[in-house]
Amino acid sequence: MMTRATDLEATEGVFNQAPPLQDHNRYLGHAAMRDALARECGPAVAAAMEPALARLGEELASADWITRGELANRHPPELRLYDAQGRRLDRFDFHPAWHDCLDWLKRNHVAGAAWADEQPGAQTKRAALFQLFAEVECGSLCPATMTHAALPLLMREPALAEPWLRLALAPAHDPRFIPAAGKRGLLIGMGLTERQGGSDVRANISRADPAGDGWYRITGHKWFFSVAMSDAFLVTAQGADGLGCYFMPRFLPDGSLNALHLVRAKDKLGDRSNASAEVRFDGALALPLGEQGRGIATIIEMASYTRLDCANGSAGIMRAALAHALHHARHRQAFGKPLIAQPLMAQVLADMAVEVEGHVALCLRVAATLDRQRDDAAEAALKRLLTPVAKYWVCKRSPALVAEAMEVLGGNGYVEESPMPRLFRQSPLNAIWEGASNIMCLDVLRALARDKNAGAALAAELAPARGRHPAYDRHLDRLGKLLAAPQEADARRLTEAIALAVSAARLLQGDGIAGEAFCLGRLQEGAGSNAFGGGPALDTAALLQRARPDPP
């Protein structure tokens, strides 16, 4: 007996399912980001940025770019240690989608060229683009941030200007595995972590011995070697004067490969598109970077930029997860009406939206200090203090929000065809990279203790919003007591309190509902909850319309 069409439709037809979230505009649909840029750069500068950001936001939401992000992770890099004749290669081969990602990041000044951009707000714009790209593909952001962070160090080393500084600044990606002098652009990686030390870089045992003509021979290992296909690396090793930082090229001046030998690829939970490896240095040649014996200070300067990008990446991951949850809830019917029309679901989604608002506000406020640090001592002090604050709090909150978003999608969010598993696997990483959570909180204590301008700069940052909401005022009073005599055991509580205060202060500058909702749900004593949606009732309709990724 033939099966009727209606029977097939009943058993195999697709209905009550959300269409793919694509072909919208990641920037124009991101009200929190647009408001934050106007706040940090000024309305005129933000308006001048908007055409380019809108064009790129539309590009990154296209089906083509979503597919590139999927392909780069579905086909992770392949380690090639030897060629057919047995010669060492020590390189990774990548899917073309990975190189498309790096090309986009280099062309759009996310991977180096922002330092040569003299337009107002260049670093804040770059941070916004970093967040937008994190919604598409996070692994390729690692070489982007390493290259970006290395450049301020290279700019102070005349010997590295040619070709290294010029090509790192160039807005061009050149994937060829050849000496730097023949390339159009290059990438810089980093190797700090050793198996016996982890975050304690002072425990490194790799050795640097003079080799003549200013070069040093590095002997030792790195347990995690970031962006292992880069053209050069910043590495740490023990020299005669203590731990130093060294610039290690992949190819030597004579065109031969340096004695940098990859041992194995790291099989990571997430970040599958990015090549991380263990490495052995068999007398690899490198040049000293910064003052001899002050490698920690040199690396900390670089880390001030990579740590902010960890926060930016987490903000982008959370925005992507929220966007998918909102999109699903608008199209999925349950119990006779769309999920987003169910009061409890609307409360959960609105609370998630407020969370993302706070993280975007905090990250772009810190990014703005990069644009101002040269001419403003208070901004430089804020950068030093707020970078570990943002790194700790934004990255710490990411897994919880992504897990909640996955739950909104139900079983659809738990299968590999969904974008949610990749976001979920990626979500814990930024809290681990570049110093884990306790390292960040201890760094906040150091910033307050060593820079007497830091406390004053923070007070000046928070004061203008006092009187705009009673919960904010009471939070400032509690924060003042923590700051009066900070203790190591309270470092997490203090760091969280600073993060919430700065986020609220930025959001309260606007006339919208985000600041009110943030203060009610996160600063008001007794009103908070460990679960999204468990706080006081919010103006869900307005908050969800504001957060909608594809506004009508």
Side-chain angles (χ1 to χ4, degrees), residues 445 448 481-488 490 494:
L445 295 185
L448 289 167
K481 293 177 182 178
L482 288 171
L483 287 167
Q487 302 295 315
E488 182 173 323
D490 288 331
L494 172 63

Side-chain angles (χ1 to χ4, degrees), residues 65-426:
W65 266 104
I66 293 169
T67 299
R68 286 188 181 102
E70 293 170 351
L71 287 172
N73 285 270
R74 194 182 307 152
H75 302 282
E78 297 180 5
L79 177 59
R80 296 185 62 194
L81 292 179
Y82 300 94
D83 68 9
Q85 290 74 39
R87 290 181 290 265
R88 288 208 70 118
L89 290 176
D90 290 301
R91 79 181 197 210
F92 282 88
D93 289 341
F94 292 83
H95 189 276
W98 163 269
H99 293 300
D100 290 341
C101 292
L102 265 298
D103 178 71
W104 192 98
L105 292 165
K106 286 290 272 184
R107 280 190 293 108
N108 291 295
H109 295 195
V110 181
W115 294 111
D117 190 341
E118 297 182 355
Q119 296 298 313
Q123 296 292 338
T124 312
K125 177 184 176 182
R126 177 198 171 270
L129 285 172
F130 197 99
Q131 292 184 26
L132 292 177
F133 199 86
E135 298 186 41
V136 178
E137 207 293 297
C138 286
S140 52
L141 288 171
C142 184
T145 189
M146 296 292 181
T147 305
H148 173 77
L151 275 164
L153 306 180
L154 268 60
M155 288 174 175
R156 296 200 296 269
E157 299 285 345
L160 296 176
E162 189 58 43
W164 302 103
L165 178 59
R166 174 177 59 85
L167 292 175
L169 284 167
H173 173 56
D174 189 335
R176 293 175 297 167
F177 191 63
I178 61 173
K183 301 188 74 169
R184 300 184 303 274
L186 57 80
L187 297 167
I188 298 173
M190 185 167 70
L192 307 181
T193 305
E194 298 185 6
R195 64 173 65 89
Q196 77 285 343
S199 296
D200 184 6
V201 179
R202 288 181 175 84
N204 284 3
I205 59 175
S206 291
R207 191 178 72 252
D209 297 309
D213 294 329
W215 291 88
Y216 284 74
R217 291 196 181 278
I218 310 296
T219 305
H221 79 284
K222 295 298 172 184
W223 187 234
F224 277 91
F225 201 49
S226 298
V227 197
M229 79 300 168
S230 296
D231 300 282
F233 303 89
L234 302 191
V235 303
T236 49
Q238 298 288 353
D241 298 318
L243 190 73
C245 181
Y246 298 86
F247 182 86
M248 181 182 291
R250 198 61 183 270
F251 288 85
L252 295 175
D254 64 3
S256 64
L257 274 170
N258 208 348
L260 178 166
H261 296 143
L262 301 180
V263 177
R264 63 170 176 164
K266 290 291 192 181
D267 188 7
K268 307 185 296 291
L269 171 68
D271 206 52
R272 305 290 291 180
S273 68
N274 184 30
S276 303
E278 295 172 31
V279 66
R280 187 179 72 247
F281 303 137
D282 295 321
L285 289 171
L287 294 166
L289 190 65
E291 187 179 342
Q292 289 279 43
R294 287 186 52 79
I296 294 292
T298 303
I299 288 300
I300 284 177
E301 180 180 353
M302 182 179 183
S304 71
Y305 303 110
T306 57
R307 287 171 175 176
L308 175 56
D309 276 349
C310 287
N312 282 320
S314 290
I317 290 169
M318 285 188 275
R319 170 60 186 175
L322 172 64
H324 283 291
L326 290 169
H327 182 71
H328 177 84
R330 282 183 52 238
H331 290 89
R332 180 75 167 180
Q333 295 270 338
F335 311 113
K337 54 186 176 182
L339 284 177
I340 205 164
Q342 311 278 355
L344 185 52
M345 178 60 79
Q347 172 77 0
V348 171
L349 290 167
D351 200 20
M352 293 165 64
V354 172
E355 180 88 12
V356 172
E357 288 260 7
H359 295 315
V360 173
L362 176 59
C363 287
L364 293 189
R365 175 63 187 100
V366 183
T369 65
L370 273 61
D371 285 313
R372 305 168 189 157
Q373 61 179 334
R374 186 182 304 172
D375 304 316
D376 191 324
E379 291 290 311
L382 274 179
K383 174 205 161 190
R384 173 69 182 88
L385 173 64
L386 295 185
T387 296
V389 167
K391 200 312 194 157
Y392 167 72
W393 185 240
V394 180
C395 299
K396 178 62 67 180
R397 294 293 292 168
S398 181
L401 188 137
V402 176
E404 191 72 55
M406 181 184 286
E407 188 176 335
V408 172
L409 273 69
N412 283 2
Y414 200 67
V415 295
E416 290 295 340
E417 291 86 352
S418 165
M420 301 307 292
R422 177 154 58 97
L423 293 173
F424 187 70
R425 285 192 294 267
Q426 195 76 26

